[in-house]
Amino acid sequence: MNSMKVIKVSSFFALLTAIPAAHAQININDRLKQAGQQLVTGFTFSNEDAQNVSRNAVVQLDAKNTIAGPTNAYALRLNRVFGPHKQENGLALNFKVYLTKDVNAFATADGSVRVFQGLMDMMDDNQLLAVIGHEIGHVANEDSRDAAKRAYLQAGLVDAAASQSDKIATATDGDYGKIGQALITSKYSRKQESEADDFSYDFMKKHGYNVNAVESAFLILAKLSGGQESSLISQMMSTHPDPASRADKALARAEADGLYKPYVVQKAAPAKGGKTPKKGKKK
């Protein structure tokens, strides 16, 4: 824990999305400020646009990060845990591990899911599934589309886009790099976070995993928020429900479903040839 440069508070807990200084969220371009609210709110950005922009942005992110190869223990573990869910809720998902000690996970509108090594070190398989389930929720609920639109505008492309009625402006690799960093630091509304929390719980329940891992994952964040990074986490979560309250909500749902049991953290199974996460009813 102390070895981490910065705790990332991402979309999951509004989870884990603080990033190193080199990845700091970009400022809105002056052209966007001058464009006016009417232009921004009226800017057409389809689901297809969001998918294309996100896909190109993730290409740039992947190029700038060290990705776990197919035989790497982290990649093997993620494939074992998440592999059965490459097609989820009508979404075609692709996933990779970034080999960095930062604690984060994010998903984008094109179905790209990226999980950071630091998060995998911190959570067991069921907790990890709860986090990924939350991220998938943002994609399924089209929150990621809205995030891609905001990131596109933040990259300063609004002027060029406004002059074209049938398609978004062409972006450079540098533009997509900026968009990618903005996607990592995307902030969602309280309503969007709450709905993604519900999606995560439903995802766990639907597939027979231990739903109590959702509460447990939030409790991990609550514990982190009391440590040396508490001021950063408080700042990042100023517009979102606190993790303890979100843990309480998950607990209440588990109790209402008759599935509540105090969560016991599982020792991670071997990356290769290990068992899949234990199902909730067998816990």
Side-chain angles (χ1 to χ4, degrees):
M1 293 294 297
N2 293 333
S3 64
M4 284 184 282
K5 297 177 182 177
V6 177
I7 292 293
K8 248 185 164 184
V9 186
S10 152
S11 46
F12 172 58
F13 311 110
L15 157 20
L16 304 156
T17 332
I19 52 179
H23 292 169
Q25 186 174 10
I26 61 174
N27 295 323
I28 296 177
N29 190 281
D30 288 340
R31 286 178 292 169
L32 174 56
K33 296 178 181 177
Q34 296 168 2
Q37 186 63 28
Q38 183 176 359
L39 173 60
V40 174
T41 55
F43 173 53
T44 300
F45 199 80
S46 67
N47 285 336
E48 184 179 1
D49 290 334
Q51 291 167 6
N52 290 334
V53 166
S54 298
R55 186 178 300 109
N56 286 315
V58 171
V59 167
Q60 296 303 313
L61 288 174
D62 286 353
K64 293 178 181 178
N65 286 277
T66 301
I67 296 174
T71 61
N72 180 279
Y74 287 97
L76 290 170
R77 180 187 172 202
L78 185 60
N79 186 64
R80 172 175 53 78
V81 172
F82 187 59
H85 306 293
K86 291 180 180 180
Q87 298 287 333
E88 185 65 34
N89 207 58
L91 302 170
L93 304 170
N94 68 88
F95 51 91
K96 296 179 181 179
V97 179
Y98 285 173
L99 295 178
T100 171
K101 293 294 185 180
D102 298 313
V103 179
N104 197 10
F106 67 91
T108 57
D110 68 312
S112 295
V113 179
R114 299 296 181 264
V115 183
F116 290 35
Q117 172 187 338
L119 178 67
M120 296 184 71
D121 288 339
M122 184 175 292
M123 297 194 169
D124 71 11
D125 290 352
N126 280 300
Q127 293 164 338
L128 189 61
L129 278 165
V131 172
I132 295 173
H134 176 101
E135 295 300 336
I136 295 172
H138 280 308
V139 179
N141 297 336
E142 299 187 344
D143 303 337
S144 297
R145 178 199 62 188
D146 298 339
K149 178 180 178 179
R150 287 194 303 271
Y152 185 84
L153 295 171
Q154 285 177 329
L157 297 169
V158 64
D159 288 346
S163 68
Q164 302 183 44
S165 59
D166 60 340
K167 61 180 180 179
I168 62 174
T170 301
T172 66
D173 287 349
D175 292 328
Y176 284 124
K178 294 178 182 178
I179 291 170
Q181 297 305 331
L183 288 176
I184 291 180
T185 57
S186 292
K187 293 183 180 181
Y188 297 106
S189 70
R190 286 177 178 269
K191 181 174 183 291
Q192 289 173 325
E193 290 293 350
S194 180
E195 290 175 347
D197 291 349
D198 289 339
F199 187 99
S200 175
Y201 180 94
D202 292 337
F203 167 81
M204 299 293 283
K205 182 179 178 181
K206 170 185 174 181
H207 294 290
Y209 296 120
N210 189 338
V211 297
N212 297 292
V214 182
E215 176 206 15
S216 180
F218 280 123
L219 290 177
I220 288 175
L221 181 65
K223 184 176 181 180
L224 288 177
S225 67
Q228 61 183 6
E229 297 88 1
S230 58
S231 61
L232 172 63
I233 291 180
S234 296
Q235 178 183 357
M236 295 299 294
M237 296 188 64
S238 60
T239 60
H240 297 81
D242 69 274
S245 295
R246 295 165 81 175
D248 288 342
K249 179 182 175 183
L251 183 152
R253 287 200 64 184
E255 289 181 331
D257 288 339
L259 298 174
Y260 177 73
K261 287 183 180 180
Y263 189 75
V264 178
V265 175
Q266 301 173 27
K267 183 176 180 180
K272 190 173 184 178
K275 297 179 180 179
T276 55
K278 292 182 179 179
K279 304 292 184 178
K281 40 189 167 182
K282 294 181 182 178
K283 181 83 177 153

